[in-house]
Amino acid sequence: MENFRKNKMPNIDLRFNVLSILVYVIGAILLVQLFNLQIVKGTEYRETSNTKLTRESTLYAARGNILGRNGSILAGTNMTFALEIYKTKLENDVLNNSILAVISTLEQNGDEYIDTFPIAINPIRFDFSNEEIKKTWLKKYNFEENVTPEEVFAYFKDRYEIKNEDVNEVRKILTVRYRITSEGYSVTKSLRISNNISRKSALIFDEQREKYPAIDVITNAERYYPNGTLASHILRICKCNF
C-alpha cells in the first residue's frame, strides 16, 4: 500500500505541473490579446465602433407658415436636401469609385456640388484669382513656383491612388478627395458635398445606399417669402415666434 502511494505521488505532481503550465500559457495569450485590442489596434477599433454607434448630424425643425387674413402664405417653408460624406473603412478604389458615382448622379440630375480644387481641365491649368494666392497654395503643398499644372494634377492623382485614365473622371474624384484633405472629416463629423440637391437625387441616394457607401442625405427646412419684401417689418417680428 505504501509503495502504491509512492508511485501515485509523481503522477499527481506531473498533472499539477501540466495544469499550472496550461493556466500560465492561457493567461499569457489573454494578456497579449488584451494588449493588442487596447493598445496596438485600440484607435482603429474605436473609430470603427464610433462609425457604427454614433454620427453627428444636425436636424433643422420645419417652421410653421405665416398666413395672411385670407389664408395666403406670407412666409412658408420648403424642404431642401443636402449631401454629405462621412469617414468609413473603405479601400481607396471603393472610395474613389463611390465619389465618381455620386458626382455623376448629381450632374445627370442637374445638381451642383462644392468644388474648390484649384486646377481646371481641357486644357489642364491653374485656376486662381491672382498670383499671390497661387504662390501661397503651391508653398502650402511644397511645390516649386515653376511647377506645371500637369505635374500638380498628376501628383494629386497619384496621392489618392486614382486609377482612372479619363481626365474628366479624375477631376471629379479629386474634387471631393482634395476637400477631404484640406477641410477634414471624421467618423462622427461629415463633409458637405452639396448644399442643395434635387428631390430626385435625394431619393436615388436614399434608395441605393449600397451603391453610394459613406454618403448621407440631410433634410433641411428653408424659409421662403412668396411676396418678397411685402410686410417685411411685421414678418421680421413674427418669424421669431414660429
Side-chain angles (χ1 to χ4, degrees):
M1 187 70 174
E2 188 173 341
N3 291 333
F4 174 76
R5 291 178 178 173
K6 290 181 178 179
N7 293 332
K8 190 175 181 181
M9 287 300 294
N11 292 333
I12 295 175
D13 291 340
L14 178 62
R15 292 175 184 174
F16 177 78
N17 291 335
V18 171
L19 182 60
S20 298
I21 293 173
L22 185 61
V23 169
Y24 283 125
V25 170
I26 294 175
I29 293 173
L30 291 176
L31 286 175
V32 170
Q33 185 63 15
L34 183 62
F35 180 83
N36 183 56
L37 290 174
Q38 293 191 345
I39 306 300
V40 178
K41 295 187 176 181
T43 303
E44 178 184 347
Y45 289 151
R46 192 177 301 111
E47 287 185 357
T48 302
S49 176
N50 287 339
T51 301
K52 294 180 179 180
L53 297 179
T54 60
R55 189 190 313 156
E56 180 181 317
S57 60
T58 303
L59 298 179
Y60 298 94
R63 301 165 65 185
N65 293 334
I66 301 176
L67 305 179
R69 185 176 60 181
N70 59 356
S72 60
I73 296 178
L74 300 179
T77 301
N78 280 330
M79 301 308 296
T80 62
F81 306 96
L83 194 65
E84 297 181 343
I85 184 171
Y86 54 91
K87 188 176 183 179
T88 57
K89 291 292 182 180
L90 292 178
E91 297 293 334
N92 259 311
D93 285 346
V94 178
L95 177 58
N96 290 338
N97 290 333
S98 176
I99 291 172
L100 179 59
V102 168
I103 299 299
S104 297
T105 299
L106 291 175
E107 289 181 335
Q108 289 171 8
N109 295 325
D111 296 323
E112 297 182 352
Y113 51 90
I114 301 171
D115 183 357
T116 60
F117 188 57
I119 298 180
I121 57 174
N122 301 322
I124 297 178
R125 61 193 185 279
F126 289 120
D127 187 15
F128 294 99
S129 57
N130 60 63
E131 281 297 315
E132 286 304 316
I133 294 177
K134 174 185 173 182
K135 290 179 181 179
T136 302
W137 186 85
L138 291 176
K139 185 177 180 181
K140 176 182 177 182
Y141 288 96
N142 298 317
F143 290 119
E144 298 291 337
E145 288 190 15
N146 60 348
V147 68
T148 66
E150 289 82 3
E151 290 172 334
V152 176
F153 192 84
Y155 163 80
F156 281 103
K157 181 177 183 291
D158 292 338
R159 176 175 179 172
Y160 301 125
E161 300 179 15
I162 301 174
K163 298 178 180 178
N164 305 62
E165 295 300 328
D166 187 290
V167 176
N168 290 286
E169 292 182 353
V170 175
R171 177 64 174 70
K172 292 175 184 178
I173 297 171
L174 285 177
T175 298
V176 178
R177 293 301 302 268
Y178 169 74
R179 289 190 59 233
I180 288 175
T181 300
S182 59
E183 300 178 34
Y185 72 164
S186 68
V187 295
T188 57
K189 186 173 179 59
S190 55
L191 175 73
R192 182 68 57 92
I193 294 178
S194 176
N195 288 313
N196 192 2
I197 64 174
S198 62
R199 183 178 294 272
K200 182 178 180 180
S201 291
L203 290 175
I204 291 174
F205 293 129
D206 267 338
E207 294 173 356
Q208 302 179 29
R209 290 182 178 272
E210 69 285 349
K211 183 180 176 181
Y212 308 99
I215 296 299
D216 199 16
V217 176
I218 306 299
T219 303
N220 299 314
E222 187 177 81
R223 204 61 153 162
Y224 75 97
Y225 303 90
N227 300 311
T229 58
L230 177 66
S232 59
H233 60 295
I234 298 175
L235 296 178
R236 190 180 299 113
I237 300 174
C238 291
K239 67 181 180 181
C240 298
N241 303 315
F242 287 86

